[in-house]
Amino acid sequence: MSRSGYSDKELAALVGIAPSTCHARVRALRESGVLRGFHAQVNPAAVGRGLQAMIAVRLQPSARARLSEVAHRLAQRPEVRDVYLLGGVDDVLVHVAVRDSPQLRAFVLEHLSTRPEVAHTQTSLVFEHVHAPGTASI
């Protein structure tokens, strides 16, 4: 079975090619850097993290030189699913999955709004995540 969750035979049948051709193409895509890896899609609610939010963060002008450092620090937190560096009004967008609203509030207070480098945060709750066409794992 390949790391995609399908065997080479199953994947080949889905796209209408021979399994050996499929294996060679997947290997070539990995070697060329088109495919960077494979991942499991975890249901946050199933592991006790049913509340998700996107938090826009604006840094103090004096802290913008440390943007990468701030982003990497946030990415180390267990609540954080993704961190995006942005252009525009906000500097960082943080996707978090937490147990409940008190845990979300604690995360924002402890790791964002009370930090001296943070000028502003805006939290938006995620009600549902709809995958765009072509992004579903195969």
Side-chain angles (χ1 to χ4, degrees):
M1 181 168 294
S2 75
R3 291 184 182 214
S4 66
Y6 291 96
S7 69
D8 286 340
K9 183 178 177 181
E10 292 168 327
L11 189 56
L14 283 170
V15 295
I17 59 176
S20 60
T21 302
C22 177
H23 179 75
R25 288 184 182 175
V26 169
R27 185 179 64 240
L29 288 169
R30 289 188 71 188
E31 290 172 357
S32 68
V34 172
L35 294 178
R36 295 188 293 185
F38 302 93
H39 68 278
Q41 289 188 1
V42 175
N43 176 355
V47 295
R49 293 177 183 250
L51 180 62
Q52 293 185 66
M54 302 297 279
I55 307 166
V57 180
R58 190 173 317 139
L59 297 180
Q60 297 287 355
S62 61
R64 290 206 172 106
R66 297 191 332 263
L67 179 62
S68 182
E69 173 190 323
V70 170
H72 283 91
R73 177 179 46 80
L74 288 168
Q76 299 304 310
R77 298 289 318 153
E79 305 91 335
V80 174
R81 298 194 68 187
D82 291 297
V83 177
Y84 303 92
L85 303 183
L86 307 175
V89 175
D90 296 313
D91 298 302
V92 181
L93 186 63
V94 185
H95 178 195
V96 298
V98 295
R99 179 180 54 255
D100 53 24
S101 143
Q103 190 178 29
L104 176 59
R105 182 178 188 274
F107 175 83
V108 172
L109 288 173
E110 294 170 19
H111 303 289
L112 295 172
S113 63
T114 58
R115 302 278 308 191
E117 66 269 20
V118 174
H120 177 78
T121 65
Q122 172 87 33
T123 302
S124 299
L125 298 180
V126 174
F127 292 133
E128 184 178 351
H129 179 194
V130 179
H131 288 278
T135 62
S137 295
I138 55 171

